[in-house]
Structure formats: C-alpha cells, structure tokens
Amino acid sequence: GTVPTASMVSQESTSQWTRGETQTQQYRDLPFAIAFAFQFAIVTFMALFPVTKNDANQGTSGNSRMLMSSSAFYFLVAIGLPVLAAPSLSLLAFKWMINQPEGLIKAALLSGIIFNLFMGYFFAVIGIPVYFGNFIFAAILGCYARTVWNRIPFAAANLRCAITAIQSNLGMMIVALFSSFASLVWVSIFYHAYAGVINADFMRVETHYNSSSGSNYGSSSSPGKGDLSAIGTLVVLLLSLSFYWTLQVIHNTVRATNAGVIGTFWFAPVEASSFCSNAIKDSLSRSLTYSFGSICYGSLIVAILKVLRDILRRARHNRNVNGIVRLCAECILDFIERMVRYFNKWAFIYVGLYGYSYLDAGKNVMELFRSRGYGPIITDGLVSRLLSIMSFSIGITIALGALVVGNLLQMDGGDTGFAVVTAFVIGLLFSLAMMNTVMGAVDTIVVCMAEAPAEGKENHPQLYNQLEDSYTNAWPDIPFGVVVIPV
C-alpha cells in the first residue's frame, strides 16, 4: 500500500512532531523474530514427539468413538454452523452499524445502566444484599454516559468510516478468520506439547504421603505423582510464556496488517478498493516479514507480564506468601500490563502504517497524540463497547441456532448441549476476530486523522466532513487538524 513520505508534505507550524514516513524495506527487531520461530519450533516438536504418552487421550478415546457414532451431525452443528454463520452475521452487523451507528452506540452505552438497575431490583426483591453494588455501578455508568454523550456523534462517524474502509477491503475478514483458526490450531499444539511432557519423570519430585504424620517424604512407588521439580517448574513457565507469546503474535500481526490496509485506504484509496486489494497483500507481506520482529517484540512484553501475573495468582494458595503483599504486587502488575497493552495498541498501528521498529513506532505515535492533544479521544471506549456487545450477541445467536438444529436433527441431549457450547465459543471467537478488525480500523483512522487530515479531506470528503463536524462539536478547544500543503 501507499503511505506518505516526508517529501510529500511540508512542516506544520502549529505542532512539533516528526511525521511518519515509509521506512526502507529491512528486517527490524530481527532477534525477536528468530527467538519466536525457535520457541514455536520447539513446542511443535514436543507436540509431535511427546516425551510420554498422553494417558488422557487413551482414556477419552472410547468417549470420542461413542460421540462420533452416536451423532454424525455433532460436528456439523458444533463447528460447521458457527464457521458459516459468524461471518454472515458479522457482515449483517456491519451493515446495521454503518446505517445506525449513533443509535447503536447510545443503546450499548445505556444497556449497562439498564442491566445493573434490573439486576439490582431483582436481587433486592429476592433479598440478596448485593443489589446495593448494582445500583452504585449503575450510577457510575450513568455519570460516565453523561460525560461522553456529546462525543457519541464523533464515535459514530469514526465507526462509519472504519466499516466503509473494511467493506472496501473485505479480504481483511479472511485474514481475521484465519487468525482465529490459527489460534485454535496453536491451542491444540500447545495442549499436546504440555500433555506430552507434564508426566515425565524429570518434571516431578517423587513424594510419599504419610497419613500418620501428614508429611511428604522419601520416594514414592508412583513416580511422577509429586510436586513439580525445579526443572518441571521451569518447563511449565517457559511453556506458558510460549502459549501467551504466540497468541499475542497472531493477534498483533492482524492488527498491524489491518493498520496498513486502512492507512492505504486513507492515503491512496485506489489501491485499497477491492476484496483482495494490493493493500491487503502488501500489508500482510510486511507484517510477516520486515515488521514481524517488531510484532514479536511487543507481543513478548505482554506475554511475560501475563506469566508473572499467573505466578502471583497461583501464589494465593501458598501460605508462606503474605496475602497483602501478593495482592499489591498483582494489582501493580495488572496496571503495568494494561499500560503495555495500551502502548502496543497504538505502536502496532505505526508499525503497520510505516514499518517502524517497535520502540520507534510507540514513541512516534504517542508524541503525535501529545502534540495534537488527542488524549480524551483515544480513551473513550464507546465503539469497543458496542463491538463487544455485537460479538456476544452473535455468539448467543449461533448457540441458539445450534440448539434448534440439534433438536430438529433429534440429537442426543448430551451431544446437543456440547454442540451448543462449542458453537457459542467458536462463533464468539470468529465474531470477535471480525469486530476487532473494525476496532483496529477505528484506531487507525484516529491516527491518520491526527497526522494527515488533508489527505482524508481530499480522498474521502463526505466521511471527512462527518468526522470534522462531530469532532468540533465534541472538542471545540482541540483543533481538528491543520491543512497540509503538498510540496
């Protein structure tokens, strides 16, 4: 895709920041890409060639045969239905949101208030004292709604612009759906790798429980049944890191690719106006090659924080750890993780737009927002609330469809129940992937709007005017952007 270079624009006198420009094609943050490929290969090898046989698989083989023989339609209902229905329902949701964005955002905002009022009333009637918390939360949401109400038209205009860009490049939906499939495959690989090593002798300290003294001592005639050894603990931690890291890389690769596509739509719409446009192919290629190391870099930081958080949560069962200290450490770590995820959210947009390294991308985009005064805009969460509700609604709809189809096919009750749950999970996963693509487009448009309003006005005058008018009404004291004169 085409994005602006420094020679295309003049310096703006009203703000001080370095405008992004397309970077030369070279591999950035390469050591992190190599490390990621190395750990992925190791875990895949562990899954294919387990140290020990998975007894769980042997124990459930009979159940699997019974499942397949008892209902040949199970997989059709549990997997086929959500795979087909989730994209279709998501596209219908796009059409609904592009026609009624403002009303839907308002409804999503008010739904939380109404839900908490209803639950508070329900708990009060049946005499459960937690109703007081529901009423307090409803009041907080009401205050929040009043604060952001005048910003809803801008969020609606941004959402409309984002969906328009996605509809012009529907191939991004294929990329998003493939990422969901890749995540499911990775979970399966990780499960087999973990199951193949967790019962190995070197993973456990052999212990024997003495019922008279209540102590563990000596060696046991049941090897592998004791606590994790030092090596076992290290292996589990490294596997956990691998699990989170790979899922983050899959998610962030789609985000960076999406940013490149939406950026091309903003700057050069001719190259981003078909199902499998050049913008999609070029952006995906960059994300999987030159920018892959940067994606692995940012994803690794979040993965490390997730592993540390899991360690602290497991420490709840350790009486030797002070509860207050652990709780404080967990809260601090959770706050740090949120900040890193927030930083990554915008950094990967610059990675996808221009091909910067991870740290340079984050520094540049934050400097852009600081110079523009865009803090209130990027912390609203109005669109993300709506998209989350849409995803959950699609998952529920697919689950209900699976229930109806299961009953029509006269499936066994147990099979129907599993099919409904599986259909809901897969439908939710697929719809979230598609809605996250829209959310990524919304965020990218905020960046493009802050950095290059002139290009948006020239290439998409109707969408730009809606953005500008609603922005001015919401933030009259923050300039929408100065016109950049090409040189």
Side-chain angles (χ1 to χ4, degrees):
T2 300
V3 291
T5 61
S7 60
M8 295 171 58
V9 297
S10 62
Q11 293 294 326
E12 300 181 17
S13 59
T14 59
S15 57
Q16 298 294 327
W17 88 93
T18 302
R19 176 164 174 163
E21 57 180 282
T22 304
Q23 301 298 291
T24 57
Q25 292 188 347
Q26 66 182 58
Y27 295 96
R28 289 175 170 79
D29 300 315
L30 185 59
F32 294 94
I34 296 174
F36 174 81
F38 182 70
Q39 65 85 25
F40 183 84
I42 290 178
V43 176
T44 303
F45 181 85
M46 292 171 61
L48 295 175
F49 305 99
V51 177
T52 60
K53 292 184 178 180
N54 185 4
D55 296 334
N57 289 341
Q58 298 176 1
T60 58
S61 60
N63 294 335
S64 299
R65 288 193 296 269
M66 180 181 66
L67 176 65
M68 295 180 66
S69 61
S70 64
S71 178
F73 298 107
Y74 172 82
F75 296 101
L76 173 65
V77 176
I79 299 176
L81 180 63
V83 168
L84 294 175
S88 302
L89 292 175
S90 296
L91 292 177
L92 288 176
F94 290 170
K95 188 174 183 61
W96 190 15
M97 288 188 291
I98 203 172
N99 290 327
Q100 301 291 334
E102 190 169 340
L104 288 173
I105 291 176
K106 290 179 179 178
L109 189 59
L110 295 175
S111 63
I113 302 174
I114 296 173
F115 175 78
N116 277 279
L117 289 175
F118 173 79
M119 294 304 298
Y121 175 76
F122 174 77
F123 287 136
V125 169
I126 63 177
I128 299 179
V130 296
Y131 68 89
F132 190 67
N134 289 103
F135 289 141
I136 292 178
F137 197 54
I140 294 174
L141 289 177
C143 294
Y144 170 74
R146 181 180 179 183
T147 301
V148 301
W149 197 259
N150 66 323
R151 305 175 187 175
I152 291 178
F154 174 74
N158 198 343
L159 178 60
R160 181 182 285 113
C161 185
I163 296 178
T164 300
I166 293 295
Q167 288 181 334
S168 298
N169 300 271
L170 278 178
M172 271 306 304
M173 295 295 99
I174 303 299
V175 176
L177 292 175
F178 184 80
S179 72
S180 297
F181 177 75
S183 297
L184 292 174
V185 171
W186 169 244
V187 170
S188 177
I189 292 174
F190 174 82
Y191 168 77
H192 286 89
Y194 182 85
V197 75
I198 191 64
N199 289 322
D201 291 343
F202 65 84
M203 293 287 291
R204 302 282 181 173
V205 175
E206 297 181 5
T207 58
H208 180 75
Y209 182 75
N210 187 335
S211 58
S212 61
S213 62
S215 61
N216 294 332
Y217 67 96
S219 64
S220 170
S221 60
S222 310
K225 299 301 182 180
D227 296 331
L228 285 174
S229 64
I231 295 178
T233 301
L234 178 62
V235 170
V236 170
L237 289 177
L238 291 177
L239 283 174
S240 300
L241 179 63
S242 173
F243 177 75
Y244 288 127
W245 192 9
T246 303
L247 288 180
Q248 285 292 312
V249 167
I250 294 173
H251 171 76
N252 292 326
T253 299
V254 176
R255 184 170 183 83
T257 301
N258 192 40
V261 173
I262 303 305
T264 304
F265 172 83
W266 185 268
F267 292 108
V270 175
E271 298 183 25
S273 58
S274 62
F275 186 89
C276 290
S277 62
N278 290 332
I280 297 176
K281 292 181 285 187
D282 293 344
S283 297
L284 182 60
S285 176
R286 287 197 304 270
S287 296
L288 293 175
T289 53
Y290 301 115
S291 297
F292 191 67
S294 301
I295 293 171
C296 293
Y297 188 178
S299 301
L300 177 60
I301 297 175
V302 175
I304 292 173
L305 291 174
K306 284 183 174 294
V307 171
L308 293 176
R309 186 186 59 186
D310 287 348
I311 293 173
L312 289 176
R313 287 180 175 175
R314 293 192 185 100
R316 294 174 182 175
H317 306 291
N318 189 342
R319 296 180 179 179
N320 296 325
V321 179
N322 186 285
I324 297 178
V325 173
R326 180 202 53 76
L327 181 61
C328 292
E330 189 173 340
C331 291
I332 293 172
L333 192 63
D334 184 66
F335 174 78
I336 294 174
E337 181 184 344
R338 289 175 181 270
M339 292 298 99
V340 172
R341 291 172 68 90
Y342 179 79
F343 180 85
N344 283 356
K345 173 182 177 179
W346 302 104
F348 286 129
I349 291 178
Y350 246 52
V351 169
L353 279 175
Y354 302 116
Y356 282 104
S357 66
Y358 171 69
L359 292 179
D360 287 341
K363 179 183 67 175
N364 289 341
V365 74
M366 289 304 165
E367 178 61 25
L368 168 63
F369 285 140
R370 187 199 63 78
S371 63
R372 288 294 201 187
Y374 275 19
I377 303 173
I378 60 179
T379 56
D380 273 345
L382 293 172
V383 175
S384 61
R385 184 187 302 271
L386 170 61
L387 296 178
S388 297
I389 292 176
M390 284 291 182
S391 297
F392 185 78
S393 300
I394 291 173
I396 291 293
T397 302
I398 292 175
L400 293 175
L403 178 62
V404 172
V405 174
N407 289 331
L408 290 176
L409 296 176
Q410 297 182 345
M411 292 170 54
D412 179 77
D415 287 352
T416 301
F418 282 116
V420 169
V421 173
T422 304
F424 171 77
V425 172
I426 296 178
L428 179 64
L429 181 65
F430 279 21
S431 60
L432 277 173
M434 300 183 74
M435 294 301 167
N436 283 338
T437 302
V438 176
M439 192 66 241
V442 168
D443 294 335
T444 304
I445 287 170
V446 170
V447 174
C448 293
M449 181 187 69
E451 188 165 68
E455 283 81 348
K457 185 173 184 178
E458 178 182 355
N459 296 323
H460 310 282
Q462 183 177 357
L463 294 173
Y464 177 88
N465 289 335
Q466 294 174 358
L467 286 168
E468 184 178 31
D469 293 343
S470 57
Y471 177 96
T472 303
N473 291 331
W475 296 279
D477 298 329
I478 304 177
F480 181 70
V482 296
V483 176
V484 180
I485 303 174
V487 296

